[in-house]
Amino acid sequence: MWQSEAMWIDFSSPHLHPFLVMIGVDGVNAITGTPFTGEPDFDADDYIEVPTQQALATHRRPYGDLRQFVPPSVHDGPDAASPGHLLQFTVTPMRAEAWARRRHHAADRPDCVLCDISRAERMRAVPRATPSRVLGPLESPDTWQPSLSRSGAVLVVNSATWRELTGGSPRHHPLTSTDYDAHRLRWHPTYSETPMLSSPI
């Protein structure tokens, strides 16, 4: 990612089959700010339910503050501690019998509140931030099939680390102050790709 970029994570599901998704950022649960274990804590509600809660815009850090998903800064100089941010995912499907009941319910009960929420959430254009999850958990713990859970990880790096890894620049072009102005967004010098070192070179 370029310094001028931030991202939000959007999940989709074939045939709208529900999944419980846990997200970690550098070993920290993105929802709660506690250590990421990959094991859902149903009391803490430290996961999202896809496709009903399909997007995540920010992640919570151990200190409780929220951050956007952005690349590591190139402005920290050559001694920057981390080459990237590790995003971890653990995905658990809904049990087949629970999914069959939901599909049958949706077909027979078009006024189903849960189904109405799901349809409304799927059409949301704005991603969900981590605090104040209005819907809360929609399913009981026994709805999910933990024996079929799968995990994966993605390393988010800045343009400098990408060049070191691949020998080339990211395929897409960085956003500029002109792009920001066109969308009426405020530009900040740290969005530039030029390192801003605190001491002379």
Side-chain angles (χ1 to χ4, degrees), residues 2 13-14 24 30 52 55 65 69 74 80 82-83 96 98-99 102 105 144 151 162 171 174 185 192-193 195:
W2 299 103
S13 172
T52 308
D65 60 329
F69 293 99
V74 298
S82 175
W99 176 226
R102 177 185 278 196
H105 191 189
W144 310 104
S151 298
W162 180 264
R171 295 180 180 180
L185 297 173
S192 168
E193 289 295 314

Side-chain angles (χ1 to χ4, degrees), residues 45-74:
D45 186 24
D46 60 351
Y47 53 88
I48 63 175
E49 298 177 43
V50 177
T52 308
Q53 299 164 327
Q54 68 183 39
L56 192 67
T58 61
H59 62 94
R60 192 181 297 278
R61 304 203 307 164
Y63 310 107
D65 60 329
L66 298 173
R67 290 293 177 92
Q68 286 183 294
F69 293 99
V70 297
S73 177
V74 298

Side-chain angles (χ1 to χ4, degrees), residues 12 24 36 102 116:
S12 61
F36 181 79
R102 177 185 278 196
D116 287 340

Side-chain angles (χ1 to χ4, degrees), residues 2 158-160 162-164 166-174:
W2 299 103
N158 59 28
S159 57
W162 180 264
R163 289 189 189 96
E164 293 175 7
T166 67
S169 297
R171 295 180 180 180
H172 61 290
H173 296 290

Side-chain angles (χ1 to χ4, degrees), residues 10-27:
D10 185 29
F11 300 94
S12 61
S13 172
H15 312 297
L16 302 181
H17 189 109
F19 289 85
L20 179 156
V21 181
M22 301 194 68
I23 304 111
V25 182
D26 294 331

Side-chain angles (χ1 to χ4, degrees), residues 55-117:
L56 192 67
T58 61
H59 62 94
R60 192 181 297 278
R61 304 203 307 164
Y63 310 107
D65 60 329
L66 298 173
R67 290 293 177 92
Q68 286 183 294
F69 293 99
V70 297
S73 177
V74 298
H75 305 300
D76 294 334
D79 297 325
S82 175
H85 294 307
L86 184 67
L87 303 186
Q88 299 163 274
F89 303 94
T90 298
V91 181
T92 303
M94 177 178 278
R95 294 180 184 274
E97 60 272 20
W99 176 226
R101 285 196 304 270
R102 177 185 278 196
R103 286 188 299 172
H104 181 72
H105 191 189
D108 289 352
R109 293 279 306 280
D111 59 337
C112 167
V113 174
L114 179 61
C115 304
D116 287 340
I117 291 174

Side-chain angles (χ1 to χ4, degrees), residues 140-156:
S140 61
D142 61 356
T143 299
W144 310 104
Q145 184 70 54
S147 63
L148 297 179
S149 295
R150 295 294 182 268
S151 298
V154 177
L155 186 66
V156 177

